[in-house]
DNA sequence: GGAACCTGTATGATCGATAATACAGCTTTG
DNA sequence: CAAAGCTGTATTATCGATCATACAGGTTCC
């Protein structure tokens, strides 16, 4: 029975400070305790505190001013993209027109058992596997691994996949996409995803696994998406439906919210927070 | 400009193997390469590989058989709880009746600026802050931090909060909950959350931030929830509505899925995957 | 201007993680 | 049964992370 495996004290302090910052415990724009104070508080050396602050700075959560102090970055300049949940896919189609896509890998392989099973494939069937990275303003924010049955994948080319959203290509082939199931979860970045998303290994990631079915029940797309949480998150508005005994929340449909750009203003508390009425749906 | 800060080789290998396992690359029940082979493959010592495997084993992803090998854990015994998104809150109310809750902290404090603002409070107003942990089968799976305006919090006691779901208490007070907004994201476990959820610091967590409003627009509850991704995840079914130009996905409502217990069976590929028709809604 | 604070940087000592190696005990295979 | 492969365990050496300390230079405040 060995003692604890303490994975880096610097990381520990980094996480602790990060929590306090995102929780609003340390107000934006405020100065956080000096390095010597932090070192004493957490019983570590100043060098270690420094490395924790380095991580925070690299993440843009904190700004250092030599001689003055370290401050919580005021304008959260890198506001995450907001995906309305009731409408993720079409949202992605829109984004396919305003973001860049890098195709990292493309080929036909035998699928892992779990994926072949979820697509309802017979044992021998192969799939087209592709790995793509989506960039917004030149910065990567999602890492997409898709598996598509071979017969469907052959209806478009590698170049087309790099240029147009996959769902669009699938529909172009005549397949009707009728139903999908998806699951949202969290993981840590593995080596490939970390490299592609410009992150440290072990960074947190949002995951979305979606399987799209055509009306017959056949699976036509298996998507595994990894999102940088600082650049992407899922938002939704809920309204109450049913009453009393059967109370339940339901996503407010047809009400896609804008990216909540307000609130960057100082917006003195005491006034009701600004509410963004409607998103501007921009179509080309 | 310093060289790379490599946080633990063992962790790196752990993540790499974990990825391959959950991706189905290494099939469940299969044996993974021997420790010497892994050590050679990743150019590290066997001791390091061992520590990576220790992590996988502690997480239940892998099972070691001395003299034989290390195997991908077959039955994913600890199947995560599935929350249907269209219905999270009432789902939680139901769970409040079948799970344990531990109240870790309770008190009235001045809210962090961001939270006071989101609830629409005046500068001086205080809030009730509580931290709870939810357990299922004695195992913790969620870490909830809630902030409620003082006037509302005073309508129930600390003991009541530990026993009943917060939303129920809020409604009992006569407040009507009409609308809510929520965001889903991912982070790493900080020290407190890690301890409460029985995790290592730096483990990945699913986050849900929800603000509940009464009809007047006043915020009545600010919830920040952290979920263990191995024990909790969000699932939803989507259907296509609208056609062609305005294609969009919408959550399939009134169709709460069961916890998808099937698929534990071997379920030979080639047959259509079993689809669970309806959840059994159990009410007391 | 000067005192008190801060961040930036460097040093050598110390401790933990990793490497290299060896061996014990078990399982599988022939 | 014997050979080959595996996990479990131990030992010593090396390397990197952390510590304790010191000093340089900027900022803030009096």
């Amino acid at each position: 029975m060995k003692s604890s495996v303490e994975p880096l004290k610097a990381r520990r302090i980094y996480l602790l400070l990060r929590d306090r910052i995102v929780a609003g415990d340390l107000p934006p724009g405020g100065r956080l305790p000096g390095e010597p104070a932090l070192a004493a508080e957490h019983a570590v050396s100043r060098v270690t505190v420094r490395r924790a602050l380095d991580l925070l700075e690299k993440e843009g959560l904190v700004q250092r001013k030599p001689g003055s102090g370290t401050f919580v970055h005021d304008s959260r300049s890198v506001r995450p993209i907001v995906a309305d949940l009731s409408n993720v896919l079409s949202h992605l189609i829109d984004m396919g027109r305003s973001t860049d896509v890098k195709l990292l890998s493309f080929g036909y392989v035998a699928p892992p058992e779990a994926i072949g099973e979820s697509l309802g494939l017979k044992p021998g069937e192969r799939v087209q596997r592709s790995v793509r990275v989506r960039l917004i303003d030149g910065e990567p924010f999602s890492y997409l691994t898709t598996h598509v049955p071979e017969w469907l994948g052959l209806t478009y080319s590698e170049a087309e996949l790099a240029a147009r959203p996959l769902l669009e290509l699938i529909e172009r082939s005549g397949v009707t996409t009728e139903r999908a199931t998806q699951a949202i979860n969290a993981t840590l970045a593995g080596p490939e995803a970390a490299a592609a998303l410009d992150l440290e290994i072990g960074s947190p990631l949002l995951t979305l696994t979606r399987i799209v079915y055509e009306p017959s029940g056949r699976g036509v797309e298996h998507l595994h998406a990894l999102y940088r949480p600082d650049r992407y998150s899922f938002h939704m508005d809920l309204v109450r439906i049913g009453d009393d005994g059967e109370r339940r929340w339901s996503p407010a449909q047809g009400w896609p919210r804008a990216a909540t750009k307000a609130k960057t203003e100082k917006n003195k508390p005491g006034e009701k927070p600004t509410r963004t009425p409607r998103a501007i749906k921009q179509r080309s």
Side-chain angles (χ1 to χ4, degrees), chain A:
Chain A
M1 201 56 54
K2 247 10 217 329
S3 69
S4 69
V5 184
E6 190 164 49
L8 282 272
K9 291 189 181 177
R11 187 180 189 82
R12 181 197 169 96
I13 295 175
Y14 153 71
L15 289 170
L16 196 130
L17 289 175
R18 187 187 55 91
D19 265 15
R20 292 179 60 186
I21 290 175
V22 300
D25 196 7
L26 298 169
R31 212 198 77 208
L32 39 95
E35 293 174 3
L38 287 174
E41 180 184 348
H42 299 100
V44 296
S45 85
R46 195 162 80 93
V47 188
T48 305
V49 167
R50 232 138 186 294
R51 290 188 43 184
L53 293 178
D54 287 343
L55 292 173
L56 289 172
E57 187 180 29
K58 193 166 54 176
E59 223 170 84
L61 281 173
V62 115
Q63 193 174 355
R64 284 159 127 163
K65 296 183 180 172
S68 177
T70 303
F71 300 83
V72 178
H73 201 148
D74 201 347
S75 65
R76 298 186 190 172
S77 51
V78 261
R79 189 160 283 283
I81 310 161
V82 174
D84 196 301
L85 239 210
S86 60
N87 147 346
V88 214
L89 283 187
S90 69
H91 194 119
L92 280 182
I93 286 185
D94 283 344
M95 290 203 303
R97 286 171 179 147
S98 61
T99 61
D100 284 337
V101 175
K102 231 188 324 189
L103 184 59
L104 299 186
S105 160
F106 182 89
Y108 291 86
V109 298
E113 190 183 330
I115 289 181
E117 196 175 305
S118 70
L119 288 177
L121 298 181
K122 296 194 181 64
E125 292 188 83
R126 297 166 71 79
V127 295
Q128 176 198 89
R129 185 188 120 103
S130 67
V131 179
R132 290 172 297 166
V133 174
R134 277 199 132 84
L135 315 167
I136 180 120
D137 301 331
E139 304 282 2
F141 73 96
S142 76
Y143 180 87
L144 313 169
T145 307
T146 55
H147 293 261
V148 168
E150 186 170 31
W151 59 267
L152 216 190
L154 291 172
T155 65
Y156 52 88
S157 70
E158 180 172 347
E160 285 175 313
L161 180 61
R164 323 227 91 237
L166 177 51
L167 192 66
E168 202 172 292
L169 297 174
I170 290 177
E171 300 200 315
R172 197 191 59 180
S173 80
V175 168
T176 307
T177 56
E178 161 82 14
R179 199 165 55 78
T181 70
Q182 64 182 24
I184 297 177
N185 217 318
T187 20
L188 299 180
E192 321 85 15
L197 293 174
D198 195 19
L199 286 172
E200 300 287 328
I201 289 179
S203 300
L205 293 175
L206 244 195
T207 75
L208 170 68
T209 306
R210 180 193 301 141
I211 306 169
V212 179
Y213 302 93
E214 62 169 344
S216 75
R218 242 188 341 182
V220 291
E221 177 194 356
H222 182 288
L223 166 70
H224 183 72
L226 298 173
Y227 298 102
R228 281 187 60 149
D230 58 337
R231 297 188 178 154
Y232 197 89
S233 76
F234 297 110
H235 280 233
M236 68 209 79
D237 291 275
L238 304 174
V239 293
R240 202 55 159 300
I241 59 173
D243 51 1
D244 209 69
E246 257 303 330
R247 34 176 134 79
R248 126 177 346 184
W249 290 90
S250 157
Q253 296 198 43
W255 203 60
R257 295 179 64 209
T260 318
K261 206 174 298 181
K263 189 181 189 176
T264 308
E265 316 297 335
K266 202 39 184 281
N267 193 7
K268 271 213 171 125
E271 306 165 4
K272 255 199 250 173
T274 321
R275 303 221 46 74
T276 314
R278 278 196 69 88
I280 298 111
K281 189 75 177 267
Q282 111 172 19
R283 297 202 130 274
S284 63

